[in-house]
């Protein structure tokens, strides 16, 4: 799915996927099996024979994942209120549905406060209605209660504020800025295949961190440092996309020559 974002017009051929997999020591057969499983899950669709694009389920997930670039625009001042989601009564026997629900809660920065009660600061534009809609788009049923909570006692409020490790988050922002900036400075001297592999691994880690970033407000974290890290990741992602576009174009050209 990450490769589909870098592919020309959002379309990835099996040959391009196999060439990319080989960079990471993944066999062509394993890559094709992965594509088939993604297709079975509705995350990708076969556009033509041997050519894939995001499927309906993949588009919904990709829309949420891809929003990391503009996520700061969703942040509003925090009044101290919380958005709460109560998952009591939701079935756990359906493992696929349970995993999708856990992923959705994590994507929106929700953490479990007490038995099945998940919370996050109410500092996102649109408040409860927006969070409810985003959870629904990610497969969390409409029957799930999503509401605002603003009368925690002092002890519970302090417990909620400590659900996220702010020191670890800020350290990851600082270290990430340094690591990405250093790689970008030396990227031009790397062979094409090595540059593509490293850009994927380093960029994927950085983007995943931002995708699952809880977007905490200033009283809980240094939001300016988070914004600086996001700007650095955006610059890295632009360079990484250019590298992968070149790599996939070369793989496509080799396939065309072989077929001829």
């Amino acid at each position: 799915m990450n490769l589909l974002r870098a592919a020309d017009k959002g379309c990835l051929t099996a040959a391009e996927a196999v060439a990319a997999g080989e960079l990471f020591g993944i066999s062509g057969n394993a890559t094709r099996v992965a594509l088939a499983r993604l297709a079975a899950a509705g995350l990708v669709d076969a556009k033509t024979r041997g050519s894939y694009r995001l499927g309906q389920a993949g588009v919904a997930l990709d829309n949420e994942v891809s929003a990391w670039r503009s996520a700061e625009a969703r942040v509003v001042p925090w009044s101290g209120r919380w958005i709460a989601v109560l998952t009591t009564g939701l079935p756990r026997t359906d493992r696929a549905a349970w995993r999708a629900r856990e992923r959705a809660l994590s994507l929106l920065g929700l953490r479990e406060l007490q038995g099945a009660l998940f919370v996050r600061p109410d500092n996102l534009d649109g408040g409860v209605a927006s969070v409810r809609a985003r959870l629904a788009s990610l497969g969390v049923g409409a029957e799930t209660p999503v509401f605002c909570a603003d009368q925690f006692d002092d002890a519970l409020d302090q417990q909620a504020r400590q659900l996220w490790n702010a020191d670890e988050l800020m350290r990851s922002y600082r270290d990430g800025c340094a690591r990405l900036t250093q790689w970008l400075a030396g990227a031009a001297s790397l062979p094409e295949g090595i540059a593509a592999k490293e850009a994927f691994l380093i960029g994927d880690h950085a983007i995943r961190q931002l995708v699952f970033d809880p977007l905490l407000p200033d009283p809980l974290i240094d939001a300016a440092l988070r914004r600086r890290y996001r700007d650095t990741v955006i610059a890295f992602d632009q360079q990484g996309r250019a590298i992968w576009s070149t790599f996939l174009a070369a793989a496509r050209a080799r396939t065309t020559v072989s077929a001829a």
Side-chain angles (χ1 to χ4, degrees), residues 35-258:
L35 284 169
R37 287 176 175 170
L38 287 171
L43 292 170
V44 302
D45 285 337
K47 184 177 180 181
T48 59
R49 181 175 176 81
S51 179
Y52 298 86
R53 62 184 176 185
L54 288 175
Q56 183 175 355
V59 169
L61 178 58
D62 185 61
N63 286 340
E64 187 68 36
V65 169
S66 298
W68 66 267
R69 293 177 184 82
S70 58
E72 291 294 336
R74 294 202 300 263
V75 178
V76 298
W78 186 42
S79 66
R81 299 194 309 176
W82 302 88
I83 289 179
V85 178
L86 188 63
T87 63
T88 302
L90 296 181
R92 291 178 175 266
T93 53
D94 186 337
R95 297 296 295 176
W98 180 81
R99 285 194 297 270
R101 183 167 65 244
E102 292 296 300
R103 181 174 59 203
L105 293 169
S106 293
L107 280 169
L108 272 72
L110 289 147
R111 299 291 185 272
E112 189 170 14
L113 177 60
Q114 289 185 354
L117 178 66
F118 290 75
V119 301
R120 66 152 296 117
D122 183 12
N123 69 318
L124 300 180
D125 187 37
V128 168
S130 175
V131 169
R132 183 183 293 120
R134 290 171 63 192
L135 287 172
S137 73
L138 291 168
V140 177
E143 73 279 6
T144 305
V146 183
F147 54 95
C148 187
D150 61 357
Q151 295 186 13
F152 289 163
D153 61 33
D154 290 342
L156 192 58
D157 186 77
Q158 286 302 312
Q159 183 183 343
R161 289 168 181 259
Q162 295 169 12
L163 291 175
W164 301 267
N165 189 329
D167 290 339
E168 183 178 334
L169 276 170
M170 289 188 289
R171 182 169 55 252
S172 71
Y173 299 150
R174 287 190 294 268
D175 292 348
C177 283
R179 181 171 58 253
L180 297 177
T181 300
Q182 181 181 16
W183 190 90
L184 286 172
S189 63
L190 296 173
E192 180 183 85
I194 293 177
K197 181 178 180 179
E198 290 185 358
F200 185 96
L201 292 174
I202 298 171
D204 185 63
H205 175 80
I207 291 172
R208 180 178 176 81
Q209 181 180 337
L210 287 177
V211 166
F212 286 95
D213 191 283
L215 292 173
L216 299 176
D218 264 318
L220 302 184
I221 205 167
D222 183 350
L225 179 58
R226 181 184 65 227
R227 290 191 292 269
R228 180 160 67 87
Y229 176 58
R230 190 177 304 274
D231 289 343
T232 304
V233 177
I234 288 173
F236 186 96
D237 183 58
Q238 290 172 340
Q239 181 67 15
R241 283 172 174 269
I243 290 170
W244 271 93
S245 180
T246 300
F247 177 84
L248 292 176
R252 193 180 310 117
R254 288 194 297 270
T255 302
T256 301
V257 170
S258 298

